[in-house]
Amino acid sequence: VDFLQRVEKRSNQPARSSRSLLKQYQKLMWALYAATPSYEEKLRLAMRHLAVFREAGKAGLVSDYDVSEVNLSASWYALFAGEYAEAERLSLAGKARTPGYLPLDTNLAHAMALQGKNRAAMQLYMSHYGVTVEHSQNDRDVWESVVLRDFNDLEAAGITVPLFDDIRQFFALQESD
C-alpha cells in the first residue's frame, strides 16, 4: 500500500523515475489482480489503477493504449461483479481513447447483452466476425474465439443470458458457410 501511495503521488511528475515507478506499479497491480479472489475487490483495485494511469496519461507518462488496457481489465472485473452498466461505461471510456482496440468491444458487447440491450450487443458481436483481435504484441486470436472463450468464463461464474446461445449459433452458421 505504501508503494501504491508513492506511485500515486508521483504519477503527475513527468520524470524518468516516474515512468520506471509506473512500470513497477503496473506489474504490482497485475500480481494483485491474480492474487485477489473477489471480483468486487478486483474491480476496486482496477478503479484505483485506472485513476493513477489516467493522471499519468495526462502527464504523458503512459500511452492511451496503456490506459485503455486498464479500462479493459476494470470492465472485465465489473462484468463478474455484476456491475454491467459500469462495465459498459468503462468499455466506452477506453474506446474513446483507443477506438480500434477491439478487446474493449468484447466487454462492451457482453455488458450490453447482460443489460438486455440485445440489438446493440448482437450488432457488435456480429460486426467483428472473422477479425483478428490483438490483446498484446504476442497474443492474437479471431474475434469469435475470444467471444466464445469469454462466454465460457462468464457462464462458469453463473453469468449468462439467452443471447449468448444466439451468438454461438450465429458463429456456427458463419463457419458452415
Side-chain angles (χ1 to χ4, degrees):
V1 172
D2 186 40
F3 179 77
L4 294 176
Q5 289 171 344
R6 282 190 318 168
V7 172
E8 289 168 352
K9 284 179 188 173
R10 296 192 63 184
S11 67
N12 287 325
Q13 299 173 7
R16 184 181 190 99
S17 61
S18 293
R19 283 189 178 88
S20 174
L21 206 51
L22 283 164
K23 285 184 182 189
Q24 292 174 358
Y25 178 81
Q26 180 85 324
K27 287 179 184 176
L28 175 65
M29 292 307 292
W30 296 132
L32 283 172
Y33 295 146
T36 303
S38 157
Y39 280 102
E40 289 81 6
E41 183 64 17
K42 286 181 187 201
L43 177 57
R44 191 185 68 71
L45 286 169
M47 295 307 290
R48 187 170 181 182
H49 188 181
L50 186 57
V52 169
F53 266 56
R54 280 187 190 135
E55 290 304 311
K58 288 177 191 173
L61 299 172
V62 297
S63 70
D64 282 343
Y65 171 83
D66 292 328
V67 178
S68 289
E69 192 175 48
V70 180
N71 273 91
L72 178 69
S73 296
S75 65
W76 181 248
Y77 299 140
L79 290 171
F80 283 89
E83 300 288 338
Y84 308 133
E86 182 69 359
E88 180 178 3
R89 187 191 69 73
L90 288 162
S91 297
L92 290 170
K95 284 178 59 68
R97 282 186 180 274
T98 52
Y101 186 45
L102 286 184
L104 288 163
D105 279 350
T106 60
N107 289 358
L108 178 57
H110 303 330
M112 290 188 300
L114 292 164
Q115 294 176 86
K117 298 178 181 179
N118 292 343
R119 183 175 296 218
M122 179 78 94
Q123 250 180 335
L124 194 51
Y125 284 129
M126 292 168 40
S127 69
H128 297 306
Y129 182 85
V131 175
T132 299
V133 177
E134 284 192 48
H135 294 280
S136 65
Q137 290 177 329
N138 300 323
D139 185 14
R140 296 183 180 116
D141 212 339
V142 180
W143 169 263
E144 51 275 17
S145 296
V146 174
V147 169
L148 294 174
R149 206 170 32 249
D150 287 356
F151 285 173
N152 290 339
D153 291 344
L154 290 163
E155 289 168 337
I159 302 167
T160 190
V161 290
L163 185 62
F164 289 179
D165 288 332
D166 296 341
I167 296 302
R168 283 188 175 101
Q169 289 175 352
F170 170 78
F171 289 164
L173 286 172
Q174 298 306 305
E175 288 178 17
S176 66
D177 285 348

